[in-house]
Amino acid sequence: MRSRLTVCAWIAFAAAAVMAPGAFVFAQEAVVAPERITDLQVNGLARVSRDQALEAIRLRPGDTFSARAVDEAIRRLAAMNSFLPTGINVRREPFQEGVRLIFDLKEQPIVSALRFEGARAFKEGKLLEAVGLKAGGFADVGRARESTRNIEDLYRAQGYQFVEVSRQDNVDGPRNTDEIVFTIKEGPQVALKGVRFEGNKAFDSKKLLGQMKMSESGGKIFDESVFRDDLVRVRQFYRSQGYLDAEVTGDYEYSPDKTQITAIVKITEGEPYRVGSIAIEGNETISSSELMGDLKLKSGGVFSGEDLDRDVQAIVKRYGARGYSDVRVEVKQSFPEPGVVDVTFVVSESRQTKMGLIEIRGNSKTKDKVIRREFDVYPGDLFDQSKVDLALDRLRGLGYFSKVESTVRRGEYPDERDLVVEVDEGRTGHIGFGGGVSSDAGVMGLLELDLENFDISDWPKSWKDLWNGNSFVGGGQKLSIQLEPGTELNQGRIYFFEPRLFDTHYSFASDLYLWTRTRDSYDEARFGSRYTFGRQITERLLAKLSLRLEEVKISKLDSGAPADVLAVKGKSHIQSLTFALDYDHTDSRMTPSKGYRLGGSFETAVGDWHYVKAQGAGTYYQTLYTRADGRKHVLALTGRAGAVKPFGSSDEVPTFDRFYAGDRNSLRGFAYRGVGPKQGDTFVGGEFMALGSVEYLFPVWQSDYRGKPYEMIRGVLFLDVGKVAYKLNDIGADKMRASAGFGVRLVIPALGKVPIALDVGFPISKEPGDKTQFFSFSLGAEF
């Protein structure tokens, strides 16, 4: 028994002896302190300074050594593009109870010369910009293929589809220099002959072409990259319309000399998918029935990717209006059978949030309060995203800023969200010049000064402040001074508008005016003022009450002046009160593309004449279709009507306050007041007016301005109709007039957003004695 124990003991001892060295090492490694860098050397530098290399390495004696830190140093050295891809090596050796790091570097050759052989289409400067190389710089041989590809891309963007570029590096080893020669075989420049669609049945070629940025018109340079992107756009369009299996590919057809190309879009449509079931999951706060009411997708209807995106936003918007600013909506699609898609909206509600701080940035001129007063949500309120969006739209509609953007960040408390509003000050001053030529008023001119972000309390401290535009600005008020000289018409006006009187929802406007006009058989002069108080009842509804105080003088009557003019000879004093309502339900105040505007007014006048006047107007905007680049074709329908009636001691409405028609704001193609009842050769106006207009506005030309697309030219086709009746009881007696024509709206970025308008109108229904005006224009500039 003892012998057996002795043997076992010896075996155990032997095993321990064998394992001991490993165990010792393991224990030793566990307690060894991390190595320190005790020395660092950098070799091979010639043109790169030691400081530059050390800045990239970021390691110093005394730092803790780690393989990861060395790898990061190598990556930073490589990013300098100053060393050969294989020219960065690191050695490690013991030194003074630490480790010495030795960086052995080999610099890229220096470009001694750059030559482009065979290049005719581009100047050398453009080619140098493409390759990103220059004499005296590093050759960057590791990206040789990239430099040739950049030249090829430059050529292909200009239609040189068959371009071939090769690069030769002539390296002088002892000097470490490189003479780089690019050999370019340009080939023919390819022009677009046309676009042909094959396989499309559900949508015609014109509709599909509208989704593409590439124009069908021949003669333009063919850009292959644009065409590839267009194929993606057409595919996305099909899928947005429910054709989820649609396949879109491209092909080319060249002319024999390969200078022209027909781009071919091959389409396999498949069948449109229909919506199976629609479900909403994860919604605890808002019922499914309430959310379903906002959805455009309907069970059994055709599936639309566009409607799906809108439905996601509708759910987010519904939650956002209740303070759920962090809500997320995920869409899950399943296909229970061919051609059917089931849609499930999975809602992650998170928690309700409150408005924290509202921080305004970028307003170097506009006062904070001018921006803040557009927000109807305040710190402590529920974070209502719909109110925030409305406020941002109002800020953009002011026209004071070239950019309005917002971000939401976490507030001081977990349930708070701060809103950061960033603006860029835009041009809010406008100097306008305009004019027109008509058959009766001769030459007319316009000189106008508009200050859209005026501040009557911001007086200049010096002439320099006034000259540099650092005074009378930032208060959100408006000041307009107009002077219109002419051969037969002269007028002047000073207009002031305060949109938030005493920082309330009430507004105030004052209008002081004076003008004289030579009529057919008399002269008319007006001097007066108008004072208007307004109240924003809702986001879209505005009510106004106006007081008009006016003196009208009729003088220099001809011997044949009509009786209606003789009745108002001399001076007349008018005091009137007008109540008006305006409702705006459009998507943009400046350039509406959908929605409508309605307005109506009722005026009661007393003084030397007594009468009541009622007017109403409305415009409806509809986007006919939107191009792939976002530009829209818009249809605008406008109607306007008015009636005026004497009361009390007055048997007639004075001629100077009756209705007239004709000019670019009513019936284009006819002169100002060139349509309506006449007595002799004099237009005397009427008690009733009706006008209508149809306009088709379409994009013509867009250019880049400061890195962003800018629509510079829009075309317009129009049809105007209207009439003026002498008395209310003989509305049908006078014949309807009509005109048609065309025009352009030109916006020059340097002059701001005020368009140059040119219209040419042709009467297509007129009466003898009507006066025509075929051409009119106006132009302006902002500052």
Side-chain angles (χ1 to χ4, degrees), residues 474-696:
Q477 301 163 349
K478 178 177 180 178
L479 177 68
S480 178
I481 302 174
Q482 296 176 348
L483 179 63
E484 295 186 52
T487 55
E488 299 183 30
L489 170 67
N490 293 277
Q491 55 184 334
R493 180 191 185 204
I494 301 176
Y495 174 79
F496 173 78
F497 177 58
E498 168 56 80
R500 293 294 185 94
L501 188 62
F502 307 121
D503 293 325
T504 67
H505 285 282
Y506 290 92
S507 61
F508 170 75
S510 65
D511 194 0
L512 180 67
Y513 53 89
L514 168 66
W515 62 267
T516 62
R517 170 88 187 211
T518 301
R519 303 290 186 192
D520 296 314
S521 57
Y522 62 95
D523 285 355
E524 179 179 342
R526 290 179 184 244
F527 173 70
S529 59
R530 185 187 300 269
Y531 307 94
T532 303
F533 291 89
R535 175 67 166 89
Q536 197 73 43
I537 299 176
T538 68
E539 178 66 28
R540 300 184 180 276
L541 182 62
L542 173 66
K544 295 182 291 186
L545 187 66
S546 299
L547 172 66
R548 175 168 64 112
L549 306 173
E550 189 174 74
E551 178 186 275
V552 183
K553 181 180 180 181
I554 305 298
S555 62
K556 298 183 180 179
L557 279 68
D558 293 347
S559 57
D564 284 14
V565 176
L566 291 172
V568 296
K569 180 181 178 182
K571 293 183 179 180
S572 298
H573 294 89
I574 302 294
Q575 302 90 44
S576 76
L577 199 63
T578 303
F579 176 72
L581 288 172
D582 292 317
Y583 187 79
D584 190 335
H585 198 273
T586 59
D587 59 341
S588 171
R589 296 180 185 179
M590 298 289 292
T591 55
S593 61
K594 65 178 180 180
Y596 57 89
R597 288 172 177 162
L598 299 173
S601 65
F602 185 84
E603 179 182 15
T604 301
V606 295
D608 293 334
W609 301 87
H610 298 72
Y611 54 88
V612 292
K613 179 185 284 188
Q615 298 186 74
T619 303
Y620 173 75
Y621 300 92
Q622 177 63 50
T623 299
L624 299 181
Y625 73 93
T626 304
R627 295 165 47 111
D629 56 8
R631 294 190 288 167
K632 298 178 180 180
H633 291 241
V634 179
L635 180 69
L637 307 176
T638 301
R640 183 154 50 106
V644 59
K645 189 72 176 177
F647 73 91
S649 60
S650 297
D651 296 328
E652 296 286 340
V653 177
T655 56
F656 52 77
D657 268 354
R658 294 177 184 174
F659 292 106
Y660 296 83
D663 71 3
R664 65 182 308 270
N665 294 316
S666 60
L667 278 170
R668 285 162 286 194
F670 293 90
Y672 175 71
R673 288 194 176 188
V675 171
K678 298 178 71 174
Q679 291 180 356
D681 293 330
T682 302
F683 289 94
V684 294
E687 294 182 353
F688 174 80
M689 173 196 69
L691 298 169
S693 176
V694 179
E695 286 191 329
Y696 170 53

Side-chain angles (χ1 to χ4, degrees), residues 756-769:
I756 299 173
L758 302 100
D759 288 310
V760 178
F762 303 93
I764 56 178
S765 176
K766 63 179 182 177
E767 288 290 285

Side-chain angles (χ1 to χ4, degrees), residues 367 454-467 469-475 477 479 496:
K367 293 179 178 178
F454 183 69
D455 187 354
I456 197 171
S457 65
D458 182 24
W459 287 80
K461 298 180 178 60
S462 64
W463 284 105
K464 186 177 180 180
D465 282 349
L466 186 63
W467 179 258
N470 294 325
S471 58
F472 295 121
V473 65
Q477 301 163 349
L479 177 68
F496 173 78

